[in-house]
Amino acid sequence: MLSCRKGDEMTMRDDDEMDRCFQRHVVLFIRSEEFGIGPHDKSDYAAAARKLSYRPGLWDIERIFFFTNLANKNHIQNQEGAGVVPGPISTDAAVDTETPQTASTASRVSPHSNELTSINGNNETADIEKEAEAPAQQPLHSVFSARKKTLVVFMTSLGSLFSPLSTFIYLPALNTLASDLHVSNASINLTVTSYMIFQGLAPMFFGDLSDMAGRRPAYIITFLIYICANLGLALQSNYAALFVLRALQSTGSSGTIALGNGVIADVATSAERGAYIGWVQIGTQLGPALAPTLGGILSHFLGWRAIFWFLMIFSGVYLTVHFIFVPETGRNVVGDGSIPPVGWNKNLLYILQLQMSKAKGLAETDGQKERHVAGEKLTKTRRLRFPNPLKALRIVVEKDVALILFFSSLMVSGFYCLIVPFPSILKEHYGFDELKIGLCYIPFSVGSAAGGICCGRFLDFNYRRVARQIGVSVDRKRGNDLRNFPIERARLEVAWYPLFLGSACIVAWGWTLQARTSLAAPLVVLFFAGFFLSGSMSMLFALLVDLYPQHPATAMAASNLTRCSMGAVATAVIQYMIDAMGVGWYYTFFGLFTMASSPCLWVVMKWGPRWREARFVREANKAEQKGREKNFAIGPRESD
């Protein structure tokens, strides 16, 4: 298969695919001659790319240049084999059938068709005819280049940072806020509660909105709300405003996690989704670890208002970059990325490219016109409505999803149980101030980032291993049909290792604190706890997206609801349980409870495929019933 994964480097892995690309791009070469373009100048080929390609760029130019040179080379070899004086392919040689130099050996490329035809009637086109009779390949899952995917994944991971960052950067300033606003610590703690409530509710709206209208509109709305909320928080001076604006801040930031996993489902197939989700999880795991340090530094040196000014500026810069460069990926809007976006789904860079093309008087090619027509048809069939949060609730009650959400929420609760009481424990045991406590979060953040990436790649490896065992060829470009694929086994078969090791780290964490060892011991345990907990959560989130590939953001909104709810309960009772049981026994209880709950994942592996197939049939019947009702409603009006 031809690919261009690193810059413009081309690698050939499949001779048949190479032949198809050769034929296709020799056609481009011959057509470029119709425009009077010379065959050996890359700048000239840029003009050919603009006339013949949908999205001209460096790869288009290099592709045409590479294959026309290859055409010349193969043509010369054919001529040498036939005893003819070598010469490069030319328009005359390709079009004039009486040219003696090419009449005996060369094949002609019709400039008005995409097939090679033999001039002398021999069997040189047998392979091409055989290929034409072969069944058509499944379309690509995504046409975005590797460079564009990297941009999308980086911005998605960075966007996922804002929700946990806003949650924990606020904590070091709680005592100062209570003093400045003349309220009790209990009242200030209610602002944390309000934040977590809306953190669970808001994604249900934005997840459905992004699956319906596209990712870009949802990102723009959420960050506009978030920026306005931070501006108000930086300027407010009373408790009521703080309470309301914290809820509004949560509404704007919390949707980014659900949106991020939806974007990954748009651009990555199930064979490579584990690694991509691992990168997105970096943002969600770094936030809780880095935010207390950053919040402590800002509030200590600049005051608590600096926290919200920082968040407003940071989010404003992010939204600007996203608005200019990040393309729309929603499959309900642009399909595999080949359908042109419309309206506010366009990024600014795409709009400027269209304006420049119009200014230069460049006419659209037939392919571009077809894609624009397809985009308009898709827009007409897409009905915008007010987001329905009940869709996320319907997902929660599915049997396999409910078990996955329960266990993933349990892992998230363990995550919070490590980092929330950490400041008070370090202050009590080691006498650290806020700055030193914040620095102690660094091992946890590094371990969380490394765990998400490593376990994601391990997840992709197991996907390929399971596919080989059942005789399925993994297609990283077009994706595999998951209806008859044991995706539960591919995802959960390797989840046991980080799951049990993470639970063991929770137990070890408690007893290292109980023994009041040197600081090195709990920090090492904290690193490995972050590594394995983050890795296991990435695996569960990848499975959740695989179960709902058409509505990934809504599925992650359901996950957000359950994990925020369980996380809120866990953080509310943890201090009481530590006081009653002691640090060591509390974390032993929690670690063993997590291990004891793991059989629910075995249940998903065993009966999950059956439940998934039943859900597929049920949804297909509903869609068929809606189609019949629609046709019945339209029929009488047409007959009249």
Side-chain angles (χ1 to χ4, degrees):
M1 181 176 292
L2 269 172
S3 63
C4 185
R5 292 184 175 273
K6 296 182 179 179
D8 298 314
E9 179 185 356
M10 301 181 65
T11 58
M12 298 174 207
R13 300 181 181 175
D14 190 307
D15 291 338
D16 294 336
E17 181 70 16
M18 183 264 178
D19 290 340
R20 286 192 291 271
C21 291
F22 173 76
Q23 298 155 16
R24 187 162 57 249
H25 293 289
V26 170
V27 171
L28 290 180
F29 164 67
I30 295 300
R31 289 183 179 177
S32 69
E33 294 290 345
E34 294 179 350
F35 300 109
I37 296 170
H40 301 296
D41 188 350
K42 290 186 182 180
S43 62
D44 290 337
Y45 280 100
R50 284 194 294 271
K51 290 180 179 295
L52 299 173
S53 301
Y54 170 54
R55 290 183 178 176
L58 182 60
W59 165 233
D60 296 301
I61 300 166
E62 294 291 344
R63 181 170 53 185
I64 297 174
F65 190 75
F66 176 87
F67 278 104
T68 49
N69 285 341
L70 186 60
N72 283 328
K73 186 182 299 183
N74 287 2
H75 181 62
I76 291 170
Q77 292 174 354
N78 288 338
Q79 290 175 326
E80 290 175 343
V84 181
V85 178
I89 292 178
S90 65
T91 309
D92 296 333
V95 177
D96 187 0
T97 59
E98 297 180 359
T99 303
Q101 179 175 318
T102 59
S104 62
T105 58
S107 295
R108 178 167 64 89
V109 183
S110 171
H112 302 293
S113 68
N114 286 341
E115 60 183 12
L116 289 167
T117 58
S118 178
I119 294 173
N120 59 359
N122 58 16
N123 293 328
E124 292 179 2
T125 59
D127 292 338
I128 304 172
E129 293 173 356
K130 187 182 298 183
E131 180 187 331
E133 296 174 358
Q137 282 186 316
Q138 184 180 351
L140 293 175
H141 182 80
S142 175
V143 300
F144 291 120
S145 65
R147 185 176 299 177
K148 189 164 290 187
K149 280 186 179 181
T150 300
L151 170 65
V152 170
V153 173
F154 171 76
M155 292 298 293
T156 302
S157 179
L158 187 61
S160 300
L161 174 67
F162 283 94
S163 180
L165 180 67
S166 303
T167 303
F168 294 97
I169 198 174
Y170 176 72
L171 299 181
L174 290 181
N175 294 332
T176 306
L177 275 167
S179 176
D180 289 354
L181 299 180
H182 308 290
V183 294
S184 64
N185 289 331
S187 298
I188 285 293
N189 288 338
L190 288 178
T191 63
V192 178
T193 304
S194 68
Y195 186 96
M196 297 191 71
I197 291 173
F198 280 85
Q199 193 177 34
L201 296 177
M204 293 194 297
F205 291 89
F206 291 115
D208 185 39
L209 174 65
S210 70
D211 287 337
M212 173 181 55
R215 312 300 181 200
R216 280 181 56 82
Y219 266 106
I220 292 171
I221 292 174
T222 55
F223 273 93
L224 286 177
I225 294 173
Y226 183 72
I227 291 171
C228 293
N230 281 305
L231 177 62
L233 286 166
L235 298 175
Q236 57 81 29
S237 298
N238 64 80
Y239 174 74
L242 176 67
F243 187 89
V244 173
L245 289 171
R246 275 288 287 177
L248 189 64
Q249 184 192 41
S250 176
T251 302
S253 66
S254 57
T256 57
I257 297 177
L259 296 178
N261 286 275
V263 171
I264 297 304
D266 295 335
V267 302
T269 62
S270 55
E272 56 186 3
R273 194 169 292 155
Y276 280 102
I277 287 183
W279 282 104
V280 173
Q281 288 301 310
I282 291 178
T284 61
Q285 311 304 342
L286 284 180
L290 296 180
T293 304
L294 186 58
I297 293 173
L298 289 173
S299 61
H300 180 75
F301 292 103
L302 300 175
W304 60 266
R305 295 183 189 274
I307 293 175
F308 303 113
W309 285 120
F310 167 78
L311 293 176
M312 188 193 75
I313 296 171
F314 186 21
S315 57
V317 172
Y318 176 88
L319 180 60
T320 302
V321 175
H322 193 283
F323 183 78
I324 296 174
F325 295 105
V326 179
E328 175 61 65
T329 63
R331 304 187 71 81
N332 196 34
V333 179
V334 296
D336 59 3
S338 61
I339 299 176
V342 296
W344 62 342
N345 296 105
K346 302 176 183 177
N347 61 28
L348 183 59
L349 186 62
Y350 179 75
I351 295 173
L352 294 177
Q353 288 176 344
L354 292 179
Q355 295 298 327
M356 291 174 63
S357 299
K358 291 180 181 179
K360 292 180 180 179
L362 297 177
E364 284 187 330
T365 64
D366 293 339
Q368 288 175 325
K369 291 178 181 179
E370 290 177 0
R371 284 185 283 268
H372 279 292
V373 171
E376 292 174 358
K377 289 182 179 179
L378 189 61
T379 302
K380 291 179 181 179
T381 58
R382 188 174 67 250
R383 295 182 179 180
L384 296 182
R385 49 172 174 73
F386 188 79
N388 183 10
L390 296 180
K391 282 192 172 183
L393 295 179
R394 294 192 192 104
I395 292 176
V396 172
V397 298
E398 295 288 345
K399 290 187 283 292
D400 52 348
V401 176
L403 292 173
I404 295 170
L405 292 181
F406 165 74
F407 198 79
S408 64
S409 300
L410 192 62
M411 299 301 291
V412 172
S413 298
F415 196 87
Y416 283 120
C417 286
L418 289 177
I419 61 177
V420 170
F422 194 36
S424 60
I425 292 174
L426 289 178
K427 185 175 181 179
E428 178 185 351
H429 290 190
Y430 301 98
F432 285 177
D433 58 20
E434 286 78 5
L435 184 58
K436 291 181 180 179
I437 290 173
L439 293 175
C440 289
Y441 278 96
I442 294 177
F444 187 77
S445 63
V446 174
S448 299
I453 296 172
C454 294
C455 291
R457 294 191 178 278
F458 190 40
L459 200 62
D460 289 343
F461 163 78
N462 194 63
Y463 181 95
R464 296 190 295 269
R465 187 179 68 86
V466 171
R468 284 196 302 270
Q469 290 177 352
I470 64 175
V472 174
S473 178
V474 175
D475 193 338
R476 297 173 64 91
K477 294 291 185 182
R478 293 171 173 83
N480 298 97
D481 184 8
L482 296 182
R483 183 176 181 183
N484 298 315
F485 187 87
I487 191 63
E488 293 85 359
R489 173 188 165 194
R491 299 307 192 202
L492 297 179
E493 200 172 45
V494 293
W496 306 103
Y497 304 108
L499 188 157
F500 283 113
L501 290 173
S503 300
C505 287
I506 292 176
V507 176
W509 165 255
W511 289 109
T512 55
L513 293 178
Q514 181 79 18
R516 302 199 177 198
T517 63
S518 66
L519 183 62
L523 293 184
V524 170
V525 174
L526 197 63
F527 169 84
F528 285 105
F531 184 95
F532 292 117
L533 290 176
S534 175
S536 59
M537 285 189 287
S538 297
M539 293 177 173
L540 296 176
F541 291 153
L543 175 58
L544 188 60
V545 172
D546 288 328
L547 294 178
Y548 283 89
Q550 300 302 322
H551 305 284
T554 305
M556 290 308 301
S559 172
N560 211 59
L561 174 65
T562 56
R563 64 191 181 88
C564 285
S565 302
M566 192 172 290
V569 173
T571 54
V573 303
I574 181 174
Q575 193 59 50
Y576 297 104
M577 295 186 69
I578 289 177
D579 294 340
M581 302 172 64
V583 175
W585 285 112
Y586 166 74
Y587 283 106
T588 300
F589 164 77
F590 194 90
L592 294 178
F593 180 74
T594 303
M595 293 182 187
S597 303
S598 61
C600 66
L601 299 182
W602 177 83
V603 172
V604 174
M605 285 181 59
K606 184 173 179 61
W607 285 286
R610 185 186 309 171
W611 296 335
R612 175 161 52 95
E613 177 62 19
R615 181 167 59 247
F616 179 87
V617 173
R618 185 174 68 247
E619 292 178 354
N621 291 336
K622 286 183 180 179
E624 185 179 354
Q625 179 65 24
K626 286 183 179 179
R628 285 199 296 264
E629 292 175 355
K630 183 178 180 180
N631 293 335
F632 178 79
I634 294 175
R637 288 198 295 268
E638 291 180 345
S639 62
D640 294 342

